[in-house]
Amino acid sequence: REQETLTTLAYDNTTHQLTYTGENGTPVVLNLNEGAIAYDATTNILTYTDEAGVATPINLNNTDLTYDPATAVLSYLNTLGVTQTVDLRTVVLANETLTTLGYNAATNELTYTSENGTPVVLSLNEGTVAYDAPTNIVTYTDEAGVATPINLNNTDLTYDPATAVLSYLNTLGVTQTVDLGAIVLANETLTSASFDPVTGILTYNDEDGTANTLNLGTMVPNFETLTSV
């Protein structure tokens, strides 16, 4: 308790005052309402006025960026008022690729020159492709003279009416078959209809085997035309 500091700090929310009382018991009042800030949108200037009435303008437009196309120089004025420049022409020249690409229409050659100045010639005449219409075969001959035939007729589709089998030869040379007869039998409707001319009855058997009869003999008189000559 002998070493205890006798200081206090209080804040008045109504008056916005901060009161500090030191060890000697003397209060010091700090008015937080002092000072003002104003902004001028036209000039983009922020002005701070302290409790003594001293105004300090803060120019928010103190940076700038300009480019001179004649010199290819980019100039930037920073917040400290220092102008910094970047020579874009020097940057481009330092990073410019020294490569060229040319094409000779007469020889059909493409020439590429790299940064070391060594030309690389690519002959676009190497390799040929020929097509034989009767056999429907495309033949590719590479620059070494090796011919590779590509048979465009390597697929086939046939149907055997005796077995009702559809056969397909795919591009891998594998024959795949589809038994159409089995498909038809599996999905065939098991219905039948018969007519007895003596009784005039039509009998219809549906898929579940239920017989349904229709007596046409009794229906005909109802629709018989009563004509006479």
Side-chain angles (χ1 to χ4, degrees), residues 10-218:
Y11 174 68
D12 189 330
N13 192 49
T14 303
T15 61
H16 298 290
Q17 289 180 338
L18 195 66
T19 302
Y20 170 74
T21 303
E23 296 181 2
N24 58 7
T26 303
V28 178
V29 179
L30 303 176
N31 190 350
L32 301 183
N33 292 312
E34 301 293 342
I37 293 179
Y39 173 67
D40 187 339
T42 304
T43 60
N44 200 23
I45 293 177
L46 192 68
T47 302
Y48 168 70
T49 304
D50 61 17
E51 59 186 61
V54 178
T56 303
I58 303 172
N59 191 347
L60 301 182
N61 288 323
N62 59 349
T63 60
D64 190 30
L65 185 67
T66 57
Y67 173 69
D68 186 348
T71 61
V73 172
L74 187 70
S75 300
Y76 171 67
L77 178 64
N78 63 23
T79 55
L80 301 177
V82 179
T83 300
Q84 299 168 291
T85 60
V86 178
D87 190 340
L88 298 182
R89 178 173 298 168
T90 303
V91 174
V92 171
L93 289 175
N95 294 277
E96 186 178 13
T97 57
L98 304 175
T99 60
T100 60
L101 186 66
Y103 172 68
N104 189 326
T107 61
N108 199 26
E109 290 180 338
L110 197 65
T111 302
Y112 168 74
T113 304
S114 63
E115 296 181 1
N116 59 10
T118 303
V120 177
V121 180
L122 304 175
S123 178
L124 303 182
N125 292 315
E126 301 294 345
T128 59
V129 175
Y131 173 67
D132 186 352
T135 60
N136 200 23
I137 293 177
V138 174
T139 302
Y140 168 71
T141 304
D142 61 19
E143 58 187 67
V146 178
T148 303
I150 303 172
N151 190 349
L152 303 182
N153 286 324
N154 59 351
T155 60
D156 190 31
L157 185 67
T158 57
Y159 174 68
D160 186 348
T163 60
V165 172
L166 186 69
S167 299
Y168 171 67
L169 179 64
N170 64 23
T171 55
L172 300 177
V174 178
T175 300
Q176 299 168 293
T177 60
V178 179
D179 191 342
L180 298 182
I183 294 176
V184 171
L185 288 175
N187 296 276
E188 185 179 13
T189 57
L190 304 176
T191 60
S192 63
S194 60
F195 176 67
D196 187 344
V198 177
T199 61
I201 294 177
L202 179 69
T203 302
Y204 168 74
N205 295 311
D206 57 22
E207 295 181 3
D208 60 6
T210 303
N212 301 278
T213 59
L214 184 63
N215 193 339
L216 299 181
T218 59

